Amino acid sequence: MNSTKSIAKVAPTRLEKKLESLVRKALYAHKIGESSPLAVALSGGKDSLTMLYMLKKIAGRGFKDLKIYAIYVDGEFSCGPSIAKSHIQAFCKEMDTPLITLESTKTLSNLECYSCSRERRSLIFNKAKELGCKEIAFGHHKDDTLETLLLNLLHKGEFASQLPKVPMHDYGITIVRPLYYVLEKEILEFAKQKGFFRLTCQCPVGAKSKRRDVKEILKNLIEHFPNAKVNLFHALKEYGSDKSLRK
């Protein structure tokens, strides 16, 4: 694992250059990270760690030199890799990033995806506002966006998905997604290269979620239509609903 102090001295791999280019594209195209400080929702999984790594690498190099805070929600169950807090603390120390830890109230008896997600987001949003952050970055990648598209289409009949930048008017804070153009397989490979890939989600509820089902549906689509991801993402950008942007 490399600290930000040594990033410039280590020759980046071709994959690292590609990921940095895609993150820069998201930051530039969607005006992400224009105000400092910036909060990062850190689960300890490959996505959020890769996001923090890239943001720290890019900050001050063609973009605003951001003060970044990492916010981690701990608890009995985690919507993420369920890794030791010490690993997250060590990573943030390497990245020279302050880590704020919050506590979830969820136990196995009251564990449920929707309420768990709302509680975690409320905790993160309120802490981000307290820190003076106007934006909070989540590690949702391109595959997450496509899976959400299928979920909305099949469950609600809406052609809509996650957007790269969404103002949360009730909280007075904006969600941003720096990994919007990055594929999950690219993040997985990069995390393995850097040595911070751990387990996948260990949540007993998440393992049976509909998101897992649409992940398999998307995988099957690609077997028959190899360009399915490219075409779905293009259609989403061209015709997707922006209802989430409205007050």
Side-chain angles (χ1 to χ4, degrees):
M1 193 185 303
N2 299 309
S3 70
T4 50
K5 296 178 182 177
S6 62
I7 282 175
K9 299 179 182 178
V10 178
T13 63
R14 181 180 299 179
L15 176 60
E16 182 171 338
K17 290 179 180 178
K18 180 179 181 181
L19 264 61
E20 180 180 343
S21 176
L22 291 172
V23 172
R24 284 181 176 274
K25 177 181 177 181
L27 299 184
Y28 179 79
H30 304 290
K31 302 184 185 304
I32 292 172
E34 293 190 335
S35 62
S36 185
L38 172 70
V40 170
L42 202 69
S43 70
K46 66 184 189 316
D47 306 329
S48 62
L49 295 182
T50 295
M51 177 177 65
L52 176 57
Y53 181 99
M54 286 297 166
L55 288 173
K56 289 293 290 186
K57 181 174 181 179
I58 291 170
R61 296 175 55 238
F63 287 90
K64 191 178 184 72
D65 190 7
L66 296 168
K67 171 68 174 179
I68 297 176
Y69 292 102
I71 303 177
Y72 169 66
V73 180
D74 197 10
E76 186 173 333
F77 290 96
S78 172
C79 186
S82 299
I83 63 175
K85 188 192 300 184
S86 59
H87 171 70
I88 298 174
Q89 292 171 332
F91 185 87
C92 287
K93 185 176 181 180
E94 289 281 346
M95 293 291 101
D96 191 26
T97 301
L99 174 66
I100 295 93
T101 301
L102 308 173
E103 293 291 329
S104 167
T105 63
K106 294 297 177 181
T107 63
L108 186 58
S109 62
N110 65 1
L111 192 61
E112 185 268 331
C113 279
Y114 180 74
S115 61
C116 181
S117 175
R118 284 188 63 87
E119 181 194 50
R120 287 172 179 274
R121 287 205 171 191
S122 292
L123 287 169
I124 293 170
F125 290 164
N126 289 332
K127 177 54 68 172
K129 285 186 67 177
E130 183 182 316
L131 294 168
C133 302
K134 294 182 179 179
E135 294 180 343
I136 181 159
F138 282 84
H140 300 130
H141 46 66
K142 195 172 186 177
D143 290 82
D144 287 325
T145 300
L146 297 177
E147 290 161 13
T148 302
L149 172 65
L150 290 180
L151 276 172
N152 285 334
L153 187 61
L154 296 174
H155 278 278
K156 300 191 293 183
E158 293 182 357
F159 197 75
S161 186
Q162 298 163 335
L163 297 174
K165 189 172 185 177
V166 181
M168 306 298 292
H169 301 290
D170 291 343
Y171 289 93
I173 201 163
T174 297
I175 290 177
V176 294
R177 296 183 170 100
L179 300 181
Y180 188 70
Y181 296 109
V182 184
L183 289 169
E184 183 176 23
K185 67 178 182 181
E186 296 168 332
I187 296 172
L188 177 58
E189 183 180 348
F190 179 73
K192 288 180 178 178
Q193 285 183 3
K194 289 297 179 182
F196 53 73
F197 173 69
R198 294 296 184 271
L199 298 174
T200 55
C201 182
Q202 300 298 297
C203 173
V205 175
K208 302 175 183 178
S209 70
K210 289 299 180 183
R211 183 167 290 275
R212 290 293 182 97
D213 293 338
V214 296
K215 186 181 285 288
E216 285 300 312
I217 291 172
L218 189 56
K219 181 179 177 181
N220 291 332
L221 276 175
I222 294 168
E223 290 180 3
H224 297 282
F225 303 96
N227 294 321
K229 284 187 179 181
V230 174
N231 292 333
L232 284 171
F233 195 69
H234 173 74
L236 176 62
K237 290 197 297 180
E238 289 293 320
Y239 310 111
S241 170
D242 63 353
K243 186 170 67 175
S244 61
L245 297 178
R246 306 166 199 165
K247 289 185 180 181

